[in-house]
């Protein structure tokens, strides 16, 4: 059996918690069959002691019944990750120069308002940083198939420029936030019909080939799920933390917990859970919990993190997104704006604990 054939078989082994295999993840350093003995060498970085054991068991499972293999030898080099801030999945690249902190905004499912949350959080971070005498916030929209950030930031139809070298995209700045999105590179009528490798390439280019300049915080709006886009991000840039967005209802909270678990498996610390659409205020002033109650707190408890805030369901948030004027910017004194700023202050305190003391 050739090394190439052996690696094809090893593609059946998925990295724990992911749909991606250990070969495409770059963990297999060598693989060969000599005199009936299959020798596989892996190099992984993890603080989870169960991961090497799971990988060893899975490799043995897929190889044990293969013709021509009489014995299996697995050499595994394991590097222990340090405490947070973490560097993401094995093989993660360094952060582009000038970016001090990077956080991901994620959810297990769509429809929870994650992009709306990301836009308002980025704008709230601008305000919080200004209070600390700092500046520099970026927003990277990694939702390749349904980019909505340009609309919500009021930059639909604009196109990023290329620098003088022809190699770097210049993000568009609006509301003091530097923005890059697939929505800035295609027309609103153009569908994105891409397979996984093309999505992977696009995300890496957005991270590594955009001239972000000096940023205190880069906010990354991820698409829902735990697929190629998420894996590409954690491989392309070290993440200092992730915020999980859910709604109160049980269906959303259950799926969201899977998204949070994904970050734990790749050693990205969870900054907390944000509950969106927590309640609606009726004409009589009473709170109506349209989507139920408690989903955010249950999710936070099960992920062993904290509930950082509950955002009410108010028309002004939707109106701000449709008009390109996020509520945090257009109505800074609104109740929802204050919640976003409180969350931004919590995030800032987590990223810069010494500064916030």
């Amino acid at each position: 059996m050739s090394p190439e054939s052996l690696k094809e078989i090893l593609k059946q082994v998925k990295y724990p918690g992911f749909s991606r295999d250990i070969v495409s993840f770059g963990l297999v350093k060598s693989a060969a069959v000599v005199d009936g003995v299959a020798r596989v060498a892996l190099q992984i970085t993890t603080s989870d002691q169960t991961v090497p054991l799971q990988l060893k068991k899975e490799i043995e499972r897929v190889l044990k019944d293969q013709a021509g293999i009489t014995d299996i030898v697995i050499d595994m080099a394991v590097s222990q990750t340090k405490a947070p801030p973490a560097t993401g999945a094995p093989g993660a690249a360094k952060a582009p120069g000038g970016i001090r902190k990077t956080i991901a905004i994620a959810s297990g499912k769509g429809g929870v308002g994650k992009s709306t949350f990301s836009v308002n959080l980025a704008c709230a971070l601008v305000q919080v940083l200004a209070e600390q005498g700092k500046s520099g916030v970026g927003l990277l929209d990694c939702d390749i198939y349904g980019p909505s950030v340009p609309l919500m930031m009021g930059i639909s139809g604009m196109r990023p420029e290329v620098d003088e070298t022809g190699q770097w995209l210049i993000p568009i700045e609006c509301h003091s936030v530097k923005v890059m999105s697939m929505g800035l590179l295609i027309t609103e009528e153009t569908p994105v019909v891409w397979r996984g490798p093309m999505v992977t390439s696009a995300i890496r280019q957005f991270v590594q080939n955009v001239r972000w300049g000096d940023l205190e915080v880069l906010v990354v709006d991820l698409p829902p799920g735990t697929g190629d886009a998420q894996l590409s991000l954690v491989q392309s840039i070290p993440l200092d933390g992730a915020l999980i967005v859910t709604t109160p209802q049980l269906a959303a909270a259950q799926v969201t917990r899977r998204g949070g678990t994904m970050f734990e498996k790749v050693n990205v610390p969870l900054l907390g859970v944000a509950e969106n659409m927590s309640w609606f205020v009726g004409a009589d002033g009473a709170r109506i919990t349209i989507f139920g109650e408690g989903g955010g707190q249950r999710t936070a408890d099960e992920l062993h993190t904290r509930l950082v805030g509950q955002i009410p369901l108010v028309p002004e948030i939707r109106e701000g997104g449709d008009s390109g004027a996020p509520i945090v910017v257009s109505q800074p004194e609104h109740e929802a704006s204050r919640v976003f700023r409180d969350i931004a202050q919590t995030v800032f305190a987590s990223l810069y604990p010494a500064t916030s003391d």
Side-chain angles (χ1 to χ4, degrees):
M1 182 183 296
S2 67
E4 290 73 22
S5 299
L6 182 55
K7 285 185 177 181
E8 282 298 316
I9 298 172
L10 291 174
K11 287 183 179 180
Q12 300 175 46
V13 179
K14 310 299 183 184
Y15 191 86
F18 293 100
S19 60
R20 193 165 183 173
D21 65 89
I22 59 175
V23 176
S24 63
F25 221 167
L27 303 182
V28 179
K29 298 308 176 184
S30 65
V33 178
V34 180
D35 297 330
V37 179
R39 291 185 174 274
V40 180
L42 276 73
Q43 184 173 1
I44 65 175
T45 302
T46 181
S47 60
D48 187 343
Q49 297 179 357
T50 66
V51 169
L53 297 175
Q54 291 180 60
L55 291 177
K56 183 176 184 295
K57 183 183 296 184
E58 282 299 296
I59 291 171
E60 291 174 341
R61 181 185 65 80
V62 301
L63 294 182
K64 67 178 182 179
D65 295 327
Q66 295 295 323
I69 296 179
T70 58
D71 197 8
I72 303 169
V73 177
I74 302 171
D75 298 318
M76 194 173 303
V78 181
S79 300
Q80 295 293 323
T81 55
K82 297 180 180 180
T87 56
K94 293 182 178 179
I99 300 178
R100 294 193 62 191
K101 303 289 184 179
T102 303
I103 61 172
I105 311 300
S107 66
K109 70 184 297 297
V112 300
K114 179 177 48 55
S115 292
T116 299
F117 177 87
S118 298
V119 164
N120 280 283
L121 178 66
C123 293
L125 280 168
V126 169
Q127 299 171 6
V128 170
L129 287 173
E131 295 171 357
Q132 300 291 331
K134 299 177 181 290
S135 64
V137 176
L139 176 57
L140 174 57
D141 180 10
C142 281
D143 195 340
I144 302 297
Y145 298 109
S148 55
V149 166
L151 170 67
M152 296 179 182
M153 290 294 289
I155 55 177
S156 291
M158 297 186 183
R159 296 289 180 266
E161 296 181 356
V162 179
D163 76 345
E164 60 279 0
T165 68
Q167 298 179 346
W168 298 88
L169 287 171
I170 309 299
I172 294 176
E173 187 166 345
C174 187
H175 307 307
S176 299
V177 178
K178 295 180 179 180
V179 183
M180 180 53 65
S181 167
M182 177 58 71
L184 299 174
L185 304 176
I186 60 175
T187 64
E188 294 181 2
E189 294 77 23
T190 304
V192 179
V193 186
W194 285 2
R195 295 189 183 275
M198 297 177 71
V199 173
T200 298
S201 176
I203 290 176
R204 285 181 175 165
Q205 288 185 27
F206 279 170
V207 174
Q208 302 294 341
N209 296 104
V210 174
R211 198 167 75 184
W212 291 102
D214 292 328
L215 295 181
E216 288 292 336
V217 183
L218 175 63
V219 178
V220 183
D221 177 24
L222 285 178
T226 56
D228 283 337
Q230 291 80 3
L231 284 171
S232 299
L233 177 69
V234 297
Q235 282 187 295
S236 299
I237 187 171
L239 291 174
D240 296 279
L243 267 175
I244 310 300
V245 180
T246 186
T247 53
Q249 68 200 86
L250 181 61
Q254 283 183 335
V255 179
T256 299
R257 286 195 289 273
R258 300 191 197 118
T261 302
M262 180 202 74
F263 287 105
E264 293 178 339
K265 287 183 177 293
V266 292
N267 307 304
V268 174
L270 293 179
L271 302 176
V273 173
E275 186 184 84
N276 199 16
M277 310 181 202
S278 296
W279 60 76
F280 176 79
V281 178
D284 58 354
R287 288 186 177 184
I288 305 171
T289 53
I290 297 176
F291 297 109
E293 296 180 82
Q297 187 62 63
R298 285 194 299 272
T299 300
D301 291 342
E302 294 187 16
L303 291 174
H304 307 292
T305 186
R306 57 189 167 179
L307 181 66
V308 295
Q310 294 175 289
I311 302 149
L313 177 62
V314 295
E316 291 86 350
I317 294 179
R318 190 271 306 164
E319 292 165 359
D322 287 349
S323 66
I327 189 171
V328 168
V329 175
S330 61
Q331 301 184 52
E333 299 306 317
H334 194 283
E335 176 191 8
S337 300
R338 291 195 292 270
V339 174
F340 279 119
R341 271 198 305 278
D342 288 343
I343 296 173
Q345 287 171 344
T346 300
V347 169
F348 178 83
S350 298
L351 297 177
Y352 298 94
T355 307
S356 59
D357 287 344

